[in-house]
Amino acid sequence: MRHLLSIADLGTEGIEEVLRVTESFVEVSARAIPRVPALRGKTVVSLFYEDSTRTRLSFETAAKRLTADTMNFSVSTSSVKKGESLRDTVETIEAMGIDAVVVRHASAGVDAAVINAGDGWHEHPTQALLDCFTIRQHRKSLDGLHVAIVGDVKHSRVARSDVLAFTALGARTTLVAPPTLLPPSLAGWPVAVSHDLDAVLPAADVVYLLRMQQERMTENLLPSLREYTARYGLTRRRAALLHDDALVMHPGPMNRGVEIAAEVADLPRAVITQQVANGVAVRMAVLYMLLGSGAGLGL
Amino acid sequence: MRHLLSIADLGTEGIEEVLRVTESFVEVSARAIPRVPALRGKTVVSLFYEDSTRTRLSFETAAKRLTADTMNFSVSTSSVKKGESLRDTVETIEAMGIDAVVVRHASAGVDAAVINAGDGWHEHPTQALLDCFTIRQHRKSLDGLHVAIVGDVKHSRVARSDVLAFTALGARTTLVAPPTLLPPSLAGWPVAVSHDLDAVLPAADVVYLLRMQQERMTENLLPSLREYTARYGLTRRRAALLHDDALVMHPGPMNRGVEIAAEVADLPRAVITQQVANGVAVRMAVLYMLLGSGAGLGL
Amino acid sequence: MRHLLSIADLGTEGIEEVLRVTESFVEVSARAIPRVPALRGKTVVSLFYEDSTRTRLSFETAAKRLTADTMNFSVSTSSVKKGESLRDTVETIEAMGIDAVVVRHASAGVDAAVINAGDGWHEHPTQALLDCFTIRQHRKSLDGLHVAIVGDVKHSRVARSDVLAFTALGARTTLVAPPTLLPPSLAGWPVAVSHDLDAVLPAADVVYLLRMQQERMTENLLPSLREYTARYGLTRRRAALLHDDALVMHPGPMNRGVEIAAEVADLPRAVITQQVANGVAVRMAVLYMLLGSGAGLGL
């Protein structure tokens, strides 16, 4: 593994390997001093073209737990504004001896490891990996599970990466959304589609809610947030349709009261903060697999 | 101690304890390598809703001297803008395994230690603690001292926390300000009030100047900065009214020539940079008391 | 050496010493774990008044390789906006026990080491030092070399520091630029001037291209970028005029297709990424020489 750009690059085996390595780092994260020397002397830079505090903090925490050095810069205030190409920016970073670049932007042909943190190629591979890991903590395997992904699939890099990863691990996916929030073409997507959340919920093992952006209203893709919630929100009433072992997931940040009712977000079956916690361990695994010297995890 | 939200939560004994622990860390800060392993493996995040470079750098320096990891983000560019509740933001940070959050915003009911860095509840408790510590370096005790707090009390979280802390340690406080810059009600504040700085200075042991914001002019709370300086500025002439042991303090950043004359800020009795230096040690003490494992200071 | 404000402060011997120390740190940077404990316990703050991600990352990487702690803040969002003088800001930083301040702004009379990172006094001394170091990697000595500096000399702090450093090490410099992009007076500059790049290139040992800013068009200093490229750009045709050992340099970020053709930037003789890599080692040398305890490099 040289870069992590897309879930598709990993394949089923690659995904399985990341999840195995993640196990070790979940254990590390639980220690009183959650730190291993696996990446001592390595430097990881986060280079974010759009701000994402959550993902950046998760990657930085992961790197620090592996004893890597971290630096970050937001590209909006950097030389990219001055018209430098991304290629030159990344080459510059590389020339400084930096080992990995966590980016929200496409990039290729560079020597430093490049980790897609959620924008380029319309993917967010580490989110999909942590989602798989979280489901497996509860259900042992994704094989044969039924996942309902609900909401703004059209604008979601999470949805695309999740569908790829869930499918690779044997789950089947139903997208539940109004037609205006589905991609213009789903050709080649291994998914079913529904516009009726109530009908889908009783058979779902996982209901994965996507964040509803305010912008969709102004773009006339939705009549109103209230209408969206009425038809696609996981209200208390709808959550009662789920079977006992079904999980509720969300990539965060949540709009409580829009795509998810506040009290549903606080149910034990809602594993949203576990997703966040597993995110650090999954990113440790990815960083380790890209940068580790082969000298072991340093556990 | 689980959080540090308000001086009122500490009480006299709590304040005394912070000041005792601070002594040790003043000593650490004076070492060639000012670093102890007391918080090895802990992670402290500063989450600032309004920018305050000085306070942020002071907390980060404190955390690094205790061997904690630090990360920071300015909330103006983060997911809070996206409508996420602060509670969800802090829960997210917590789920990543972060041990303490230094915030300029109210927050409650979370597991990570929360340290109020100067905004919520109109308080700035670590500033008050470092002010007490600085006074004690010069006067042994605050008991029986007379402190004059001069300026824009109405908009000052420092003033409120200082009054609470000074009073808890036995000092009495006089607020000196034009009526427009005093809070609408002082009911319950254990203070005297004066509008005549010349009359107050000869009997003051400490004159504590608050920063005068340009905004007060545009809000018509003051006729002009020049008029403010004429009546409430610590000019050279006024500084001569102070008795020999009286201290001049300021929370920074100073407006030289407005609330304090440039040459007064440079007098030996002006302990303003000592306040800054003590700020690091006080914040080490607070972080240690909130996060330390009980295994000792690691001195 | 207390501060590094200008190349002129260093003199020939000082420059030579920095370059000697840099050699050691180039070696350190090539290690699997590129880190020495030379500045353990020291804290370096970057305080940038205008954003410069590249220079900031280079200094931070340098400091981390020396085991110093780093913190940074962009002054645009800090208390400087609130009207605090730079002197008070730096004194505040100093009072916190911070050992060095990397600034893009003039400053004087402070105890912490101050390193000019490229703005004050119209200089960028560490850039000039890394340029000298890079040339010496290829040509052993600058003595007797002929350097052509091409482009917007008028607005370039790099040009000024480079002329001083190249001259101190025995090279002679020709400035090649349209009259509108030369300083109003070159009195005292030890340089030749030309407006004919084709005539200069065959005898040049180094052609140093400056970044062409879009702003120059709107300021009417240039008719068009296309015209600039036609007369002063290092096109493929012009690069062929260079002798075999001549080097092509650029401080970055490049405008490919404007001051340098994309394919010229990728020639082996273009040592632009080596400049970036050497930047880290040169900044390690400067930090070490300003902050080191005399206990050795810790190699």
Side-chain angles (χ1 to χ4, degrees):
Chain A
M1 184 151 75
R2 284 275 300 117
H3 303 296
L4 176 59
L5 304 185
S6 161
I7 284 291
D9 302 340
L10 281 174
T12 305
E13 252 180 75
I15 296 173
E16 292 281 3
E17 197 188 339
V18 173
L19 301 185
R20 266 196 307 274
V21 176
T22 302
E23 296 276 9
S24 313
F25 292 130
V26 166
E27 184 268 310
V28 168
S29 295
R31 295 180 187 177
I33 298 187
R35 178 166 279 228
V36 287
L39 298 186
R40 184 180 300 285
K42 303 287 184 189
T43 304
V44 176
V45 167
S46 355
L47 185 158
F48 275 41
Y49 278 73
E50 54 179 274
D51 199 81
S52 175
T53 301
R54 302 162 63 98
T55 306
R56 180 171 68 73
L57 281 186
S58 185
F59 269 109
E60 283 188 29
T61 303
K64 283 173 194 292
R65 287 196 181 155
L66 296 164
T67 321
D69 285 321
T70 60
M71 293 189 287
N72 71 77
F73 65 95
S74 134
V75 178
S76 64
T77 57
S78 87
S79 53
V80 172
K81 268 206 307 201
K82 298 184 192 166
E84 186 182 31
S85 74
L86 179 69
R87 183 184 151 205
D88 285 330
T89 300
V90 174
E91 274 183 9
T92 297
I93 286 171
E94 221 169 33
M96 290 180 198
I98 285 159
D99 301 285
V101 188
V102 178
V103 285
R104 294 217 132 180
H105 202 285
S107 169
V110 292
D111 279 342
V114 176
I115 300 165
N116 176 8
D119 194 78
W121 316 272
H122 309 298
E123 278 225 38
H124 193 346
T126 56
Q127 178 72 43
L129 290 164
L130 73 90
D131 289 336
C132 292
F133 190 85
T134 304
I135 296 170
R136 291 229 302 209
Q137 282 185 317
H138 294 271
R139 299 297 296 266
K140 294 292 176 310
S141 162
L142 271 81
D143 199 35
L145 294 194
H146 179 204
V147 183
I149 297 181
V150 184
D152 186 4
V153 175
K154 186 177 183 179
H155 303 90
S156 173
R157 47 193 176 236
V158 172
R160 189 170 170 81
S161 286
D162 267 348
V163 167
L164 290 169
F166 295 161
T167 305
L169 297 184
R172 68 195 170 86
T173 308
T174 299
L175 306 178
V176 186
T180 50
L181 296 181
L182 287 170
S185 162
L186 285 167
W189 284 51
V191 294
V193 171
S194 166
H195 307 303
D196 183 350
L197 184 54
D198 284 358
V200 170
L201 288 175
D205 297 294
V206 176
V207 52
Y208 196 105
L209 303 162
L210 299 173
R211 175 174 175 74
M212 180 46 53
Q213 311 271 10
Q214 298 278 3
E215 297 93 288
R216 302 309 159 235
M217 307 308 120
T218 50
E219 292 160 2
N220 290 319
L221 295 175
L222 277 182
S224 73
L225 280 186
R226 181 178 309 201
E227 172 120 356
Y228 178 80
T229 304
R231 296 210 44 194
Y232 296 97
L234 192 63
T235 57
R236 207 165 167 175
R237 178 191 66 75
R238 280 207 183 94
L241 300 175
L242 289 165
H243 69 68
D244 284 358
D245 295 336
L247 303 175
V248 173
M249 302 178 73
H250 192 293
M254 287 185 283
N255 291 308
R256 286 173 183 258
V258 181
E259 70 267 10
I260 186 165
E263 60 269 39
V264 172
D266 297 329
L267 292 175
R269 66 164 80 242
V271 294
I272 297 158
T273 55
Q274 286 166 51
Q275 289 173 272
V276 176
N278 290 331
V280 175
V282 158
R283 284 159 185 140
M284 289 172 78
V286 167
L287 287 169
Y288 171 74
M289 290 167 72
L290 291 171
L291 302 184
S293 60
L297 303 188
L299 297 177
Chain B
M1 184 151 76
R2 283 274 302 118
H3 303 297
L4 175 59
L5 305 184
S6 160
I7 284 291
D9 302 341
L10 282 174
T12 305
E13 253 179 74
I15 296 173
E16 293 281 2
E17 198 188 337
V18 173
L19 301 184
R20 265 196 308 275
V21 176
T22 302
E23 296 277 7
S24 312
F25 291 131
V26 167
E27 185 268 311
V28 167
S29 294
R31 295 182 187 176
I33 298 186
R35 179 167 278 230
V36 287
L39 298 186
R40 184 179 300 285
K42 303 286 183 187
T43 303
V44 176
V45 167
S46 355
L47 185 158
F48 275 41
Y49 279 73
E50 53 178 276
D51 200 80
S52 174
T53 300
R54 302 162 63 97
T55 306
R56 180 171 68 73
L57 281 186
S58 184
F59 269 109
E60 284 189 28
T61 303
K64 284 174 194 290
R65 287 195 182 156
L66 295 164
T67 321
D69 284 322
T70 60
M71 293 190 287
N72 71 77
F73 66 95
S74 134
V75 178
S76 63
T77 56
S78 86
S79 52
V80 172
K81 267 206 308 202
K82 298 184 192 166
E84 185 182 32
S85 73
L86 179 68
R87 183 186 150 202
D88 285 330
T89 299
V90 174
E91 274 182 10
T92 297
I93 285 172
E94 221 168 35
M96 291 179 198
I98 285 159
D99 301 284
V101 189
V102 178
V103 286
R104 295 216 131 181
H105 201 285
S107 170
V110 293
D111 279 342
V114 175
I115 300 166
N116 176 9
D119 195 78
W121 317 273
H122 309 298
E123 278 225 38
H124 193 344
T126 56
Q127 178 73 43
L129 291 164
L130 73 89
D131 289 336
C132 292
F133 190 84
T134 305
I135 295 170
R136 290 229 304 210
Q137 282 185 317
H138 293 271
R139 301 296 296 265
K140 295 293 176 308
S141 164
L142 271 82
D143 199 34
L145 293 193
H146 178 205
V147 184
I149 297 181
V150 184
D152 187 4
V153 176
K154 187 177 182 178
H155 303 90
S156 173
R157 47 195 176 235
V158 173
R160 189 170 170 81
S161 287
D162 268 348
V163 166
L164 290 169
F166 296 160
T167 305
L169 297 185
R172 69 194 169 86
T173 308
T174 300
L175 305 179
V176 186
T180 50
L181 297 181
L182 286 170
S185 161
L186 285 167
W189 285 49
V191 295
V193 171
S194 166
H195 307 305
D196 183 351
L197 184 55
D198 285 358
V200 169
L201 289 176
D205 295 294
V206 177
V207 50
Y208 195 105
L209 303 162
L210 299 173
R211 176 174 174 74
M212 180 47 52
Q213 312 270 10
Q214 298 278 2
E215 298 93 288
R216 302 309 159 234
M217 308 306 119
T218 49
E219 292 161 1
N220 289 319
L221 295 176
L222 276 184
S224 73
L225 279 186
R226 182 178 308 201
E227 172 122 356
Y228 178 80
T229 304
R231 294 210 47 195
Y232 295 96
L234 192 63
T235 57
R236 207 166 168 175
R237 177 189 68 75
R238 280 206 184 95
L241 301 175
L242 289 165
H243 68 68
D244 283 358
D245 295 337
L247 302 175
V248 173
M249 302 179 72
H250 191 293
M254 287 186 280
N255 290 308
R256 288 174 183 256
V258 181
E259 69 267 11
I260 187 166
E263 60 269 40
V264 172
D266 297 329
L267 293 175
R269 67 163 80 241
V271 295
I272 298 157
T273 54
Q274 287 167 51
Q275 289 173 272
V276 176
N278 290 330
V280 175
V282 157
R283 284 158 186 141
M284 289 173 78
V286 167
L287 287 168
Y288 171 74
M289 291 168 72
L290 290 171
L291 302 183
S293 60
L297 303 187
L299 297 179
Chain C
M1 185 150 76
R2 282 277 300 118
H3 304 296
L4 176 59
L5 304 184
S6 160
I7 284 292
D9 302 341
L10 281 175
T12 305
E13 253 179 74
I15 296 173
E16 293 281 4
E17 197 187 340
V18 173
L19 300 185
R20 266 196 308 274
V21 176
T22 302
E23 296 277 9
S24 313
F25 291 131
V26 167
E27 186 268 311
V28 168
S29 295
R31 296 181 186 176
I33 299 186
R35 178 167 279 229
V36 288
L39 298 187
R40 184 181 298 285
K42 303 286 184 188
T43 304
V44 176
V45 167
S46 355
L47 186 158
F48 275 42
Y49 279 74
E50 53 178 275
D51 200 81
S52 173
T53 301
R54 302 162 62 98
T55 305
R56 179 171 69 73
L57 282 186
S58 185
F59 269 109
E60 283 189 29
T61 303
K64 283 174 194 292
R65 287 194 181 157
L66 296 164
T67 320
D69 284 321
T70 59
M71 293 189 286
N72 72 77
F73 65 94
S74 133
V75 179
S76 64
T77 57
S78 86
S79 54
V80 172
K81 266 206 307 203
K82 298 183 190 166
E84 185 181 33
S85 74
L86 179 68
R87 184 184 150 205
D88 286 330
T89 299
V90 174
E91 275 183 9
T92 297
I93 286 171
E94 220 169 35
M96 291 180 198
I98 285 160
D99 301 285
V101 188
V102 178
V103 285
R104 295 217 131 181
H105 202 286
S107 169
V110 293
D111 279 343
V114 176
I115 300 166
N116 176 8
D119 195 76
W121 317 271
H122 310 298
E123 280 225 37
H124 194 345
T126 55
Q127 178 73 43
L129 291 164
L130 73 90
D131 290 335
C132 291
F133 190 85
T134 304
I135 296 170
R136 291 231 301 211
Q137 282 185 317
H138 293 272
R139 300 297 296 266
K140 296 290 176 312
S141 164
L142 272 82
D143 199 34
L145 293 194
H146 179 204
V147 183
I149 296 180
V150 185
D152 187 5
V153 176
K154 187 177 182 178
H155 303 89
S156 173
R157 46 193 177 238
V158 172
R160 189 171 171 80
S161 286
D162 267 349
V163 167
L164 290 170
F166 295 161
T167 304
L169 296 184
R172 68 194 169 87
T173 307
T174 300
L175 305 179
V176 187
T180 50
L181 296 181
L182 286 170
S185 162
L186 285 166
W189 284 51
V191 295
V193 171
S194 165
H195 308 303
D196 183 352
L197 184 56
D198 284 0
V200 169
L201 288 175
D205 296 295
V206 176
V207 50
Y208 196 104
L209 303 162
L210 299 173
R211 176 174 175 73
M212 179 48 52
Q213 311 270 9
Q214 299 278 2
E215 298 93 288
R216 302 309 159 235
M217 308 307 119
T218 48
E219 292 161 1
N220 289 318
L221 294 175
L222 276 183
S224 74
L225 279 186
R226 181 179 308 202
E227 172 120 357
Y228 177 80
T229 303
R231 294 210 45 196
Y232 296 96
L234 192 64
T235 58
R236 208 167 166 175
R237 177 189 68 73
R238 281 207 183 96
L241 299 176
L242 289 164
H243 69 67
D244 283 358
D245 295 337
L247 303 175
V248 174
M249 301 177 74
H250 192 293
M254 286 185 281
N255 291 308
R256 287 172 184 260
V258 181
E259 69 267 10
I260 186 165
E263 60 269 41
V264 172
D266 296 329
L267 292 175
R269 66 163 79 241
V271 295
I272 297 158
T273 55
Q274 285 166 52
Q275 290 173 272
V276 176
N278 290 330
V280 176
V282 157
R283 282 156 187 143
M284 289 173 78
V286 167
L287 287 168
Y288 171 74
M289 291 167 72
L290 290 172
L291 302 183
S293 61
L297 303 188
L299 298 177

